[in-house]
Amino acid sequence: MGYPHPPNPKETLVLSKHFGNTAARTFDGWVKLGGYEGLKKALAMPREAVTEEVKASGLRGRGGAGFPTGLKWSFMPKNDNRPHYLCCNADESEPGTFKDREIMRWTPHALIEGCVLASYAIGAERCYIYIRGEFTDPWAVMTRAVEEAYAKGVLGENVMGTGKRIDIVLHRGAGAYICGEETALMNSLEGKRGNPRIKPPFPAQAGLFGMPTTINNVETLAATPHIILRGAAWYKGLCLGDPKSTGTKLMSVCGHVQRPGNYEITMGTPMKDLIFEMCGGMRPGRTLKAVIPGGSSVPIMNTEEVDRCRLDYEGVVACGSMLGSGGMIVMDDSTDLVYQIMRLARFYAHESCAQCTQCREGTAWTTRILERILAGRGKPEDLQLLLDLADNMTGKTICVLSDSCAAPVVSGIQKFRSDFEAYLSRNRQPALVAT
Ligand SMILES: Cc1cc2nc3c(=O)[nH]c(=O)nc-3n(C[C@H](O)[C@H](O)[C@H](O)COP(=O)(O)O)c2cc1C
Ligand code: SF4
């Protein structure tokens, strides 16, 4: 439910059920709403069984990559005396994505519950929640909730009377997009510059402070107590499309729809139901032109693809893009796609950590070519130049920020070529002043 919108009958409210209810923010309020029951049940199970249940549910990471969560937890070494860590990725800087902040703002104990549950399953005594620097409100709410959880014995040396120790440390970032990448986040937590690390080693082998670490997104972790409480079969049953995509997904919808906001859908829901029914369709007198479905780092979709797309990991790939973080940017026929793609390229150029030549030079060069086209000074060979550049930026760098910049450029040229050609043929007034 995308507060302040009332729930739509086509939504399935699990994580967002209590958005907008201030009572859900307090420990007592959360307990009255059935909170901490999933954790209680998990703590009474052997920890391997908790991981197996999450594995059986089919839950996949909601941070973007869609990696199976239970499988990731199972990579943590067993019979190992070193400290294990859980990192919760609450950086949420992906353009168009605004769901994790709402989980933290309205249901902070849902995240704490998920973090303690996951820490127990992977054998971690400490969990770091890395919160994006700009999130003043979620930070304040989470700080109060963690204090309360300590006071009520959910955190600390005797978690819910089990004799087990689990601590949560809140860490506020400084507002860098790249610190959402898992290994950059760990470097940042260690007090280093937030540069992604070369993998392998993977975090489960050598992560935070060189120790075995699991990193999960806020939405992923918040889903786990529901899975333990109601069972893997229930979660698996939440599926309208491909059986490899289960559960609910918070879709952050922004742009030219009548009712932008967060909508919690069952995996496999048709994309057109989300846009035209739940979000109320386009603004009056306008028609749909394009959608970027998974945060800005994925290929752009055209109307034919939107029309046949099911919102799950496989469904969006089958329609030429990726589900990613579920941040959907909807654009109507008034949109200048060349301008929008240039704005995205500028963002990636600004946020590149600059370790890799292909990314450092490629994002900046892509931006300059797009600015040149928009200023009415494009050359006929510019489109091929952009495609060649994108090719050199894809699959060749330490992390996928470089690929993320290339994806909207390539799909934009392939699917909306006439927008570019209007500038190149000088049939469209320049949108930027030539410099
Ligand atoms: C440039 C970049 C930025 C990212 N930003 C975020 C982010 O803000 N939040 C997030 O959860 N994952 C982000 N990710 C994905 C993380 O690296 C990682 O896959 C995720 O936190 C794993 O959690 P999950 O398995 O629960 O999805 C980003 C990845 C890249 C390459
Ligand atoms: S791809 Fe870009 S952001 Fe990622 S490590 Fe290389 S330079 Fe840094």
Side-chain angles (χ1 to χ4, degrees):
M1 178 181 76
Y3 173 83
H5 301 309
N8 186 288
K10 289 213 161 170
E11 286 185 86
T12 305
L13 304 185
V14 177
L15 300 176
S16 63
K17 191 171 173 189
H18 302 297
F19 283 5
N21 176 5
T22 47
R25 285 179 170 164
T26 63
F27 180 88
D28 290 341
W30 187 241
V31 169
K32 268 195 201 131
L33 294 167
Y36 287 115
E37 287 300 318
L39 176 59
K40 206 185 286 173
K41 187 172 170 191
L43 292 171
M45 293 162 66
R47 64 187 185 88
E48 296 77 13
V50 176
T51 300
E52 284 308 313
E53 193 72 5
V54 171
K55 222 189 234 181
S57 75
L59 174 67
R60 291 165 67 177
R62 306 303 197 219
F67 192 83
T69 306
L71 185 64
K72 187 186 270 191
W73 292 5
S74 73
F75 293 155
M76 290 293 275
K78 322 273 176 312
N79 308 318
D80 178 272
N81 291 327
R82 293 173 298 166
H84 289 194
Y85 294 115
L86 174 72
C87 288
C88 169
N89 194 338
D91 199 51
E92 196 173 60
S93 311
E94 182 69 20
T97 314
F98 45 88
K99 60 185 179 71
D100 296 341
R101 71 197 70 180
E102 295 300 287
I103 292 176
M104 291 189 283
R105 268 179 79 213
W106 293 112
T107 56
H109 289 283
L111 180 57
I112 294 172
E113 194 176 347
C115 287
V116 178
L117 188 153
S119 298
Y120 171 65
I122 63 165
E125 288 196 342
R126 180 167 289 200
C127 163
Y128 290 89
I129 304 181
Y130 188 100
I131 302 184
R132 175 175 167 176
E134 292 90 337
F135 283 178
T136 45
D137 197 21
W139 168 262
V141 177
M142 284 302 300
T143 303
R144 274 197 302 273
V146 167
E147 280 167 10
E148 256 196 308
Y150 270 105
K152 300 286 183 179
V154 168
L155 293 171
E157 59 192 5
N158 185 17
V159 168
M160 288 183 134
T162 57
K164 294 187 195 331
R165 169 165 215 122
I166 297 177
D167 290 299
I168 287 185
V169 178
L170 296 179
H171 181 94
R172 195 152 160 201
Y177 172 66
I178 194 58
C179 288
E181 193 281 334
E182 56 188 25
T183 56
L185 184 151
M186 289 174 204
N187 272 343
S188 173
L189 270 176
E190 289 178 16
K192 299 174 186 149
R193 191 185 151 104
N195 282 355
R197 302 174 182 168
I198 294 172
K199 290 185 266 188
F202 291 96
Q205 296 143 5
L208 187 63
F209 304 114
M211 297 298 153
T213 303
T214 293
I215 179 157
N216 278 127
N217 169 261
V218 168
E219 188 185 351
T220 314
L221 290 167
T224 58
H226 295 279
I227 291 170
I228 297 302
L229 190 63
R230 300 165 82 169
W234 160 77
Y235 197 77
K236 239 180 141 173
L238 296 171
C239 173
L240 299 173
D242 193 293
K244 290 199 279 301
S245 294
T246 60
T248 63
K249 177 82 192 82
L250 278 168
M251 301 297 300
S252 312
V253 188
C254 67
H256 297 149
V257 289
Q258 303 225 29
R259 284 192 297 275
N262 280 305
Y263 293 85
E264 188 167 6
I265 54 130
T266 301
M267 282 288 192
T269 297
M271 188 184 271
K272 58 183 179 193
D273 286 6
L274 176 57
I275 296 176
F276 293 101
E277 294 184 36
M278 299 182 223
C279 297
M282 298 292 104
R283 298 179 298 178
R286 291 287 172 197
T287 55
L288 178 68
K289 177 169 180 175
V291 172
I292 313 186
S296 64
S297 303
V298 302
I300 306 174
M301 297 169 72
N302 60 26
T303 49
E304 181 273 320
E305 290 165 329
V306 169
D307 202 45
R308 62 185 166 88
C309 183
R310 283 198 172 270
L311 284 167
D312 58 27
Y313 295 103
E314 291 70 28
V316 186
V317 168
C319 294
S321 190
M322 287 182 282
L323 186 64
S325 61
M328 261 176 62
I329 304 168
V330 182
M331 293 170 275
D332 70 21
D333 56 341
S334 68
T335 308
D336 176 355
L337 271 175
V338 185
Y339 190 82
Q340 296 311 325
I341 294 167
M342 181 278 295
R343 293 285 293 110
L344 291 180
R346 263 189 196 164
F347 168 78
Y348 289 112
H350 184 261
E351 298 296 332
S352 166
C353 83
Q355 285 188 100
C356 318
T357 310
Q358 298 93 328
C359 177
R360 183 185 62 242
E361 304 301 323
T363 53
W365 198 6
T366 301
T367 307
R368 281 203 302 278
I369 298 169
L370 289 166
E371 286 173 347
R372 179 167 81 204
I373 294 173
L374 283 159
R377 296 171 52 225
K379 302 172 191 170
E381 61 273 23
D382 276 349
L383 297 191
Q384 191 52 48
L385 184 57
L386 282 168
L387 291 173
D388 290 346
L389 249 179
D391 186 43
N392 282 316
M393 290 165 67
T394 305
K396 299 177 177 67
T397 49
I398 297 173
C399 85
V400 293
L401 185 144
S402 182
D403 309 51
S404 303
C405 179
V409 175
V410 174
S411 51
I413 294 174
Q414 282 168 350
K415 297 174 194 174
F416 300 94
R417 200 177 178 94
S418 57
D419 280 38
F420 292 82
E421 286 172 345
Y423 282 107
L424 294 175
S425 60
R426 313 289 188 257
N427 280 334
R428 185 165 187 161
Q429 285 295 313
L432 290 180
V433 178
T435 49

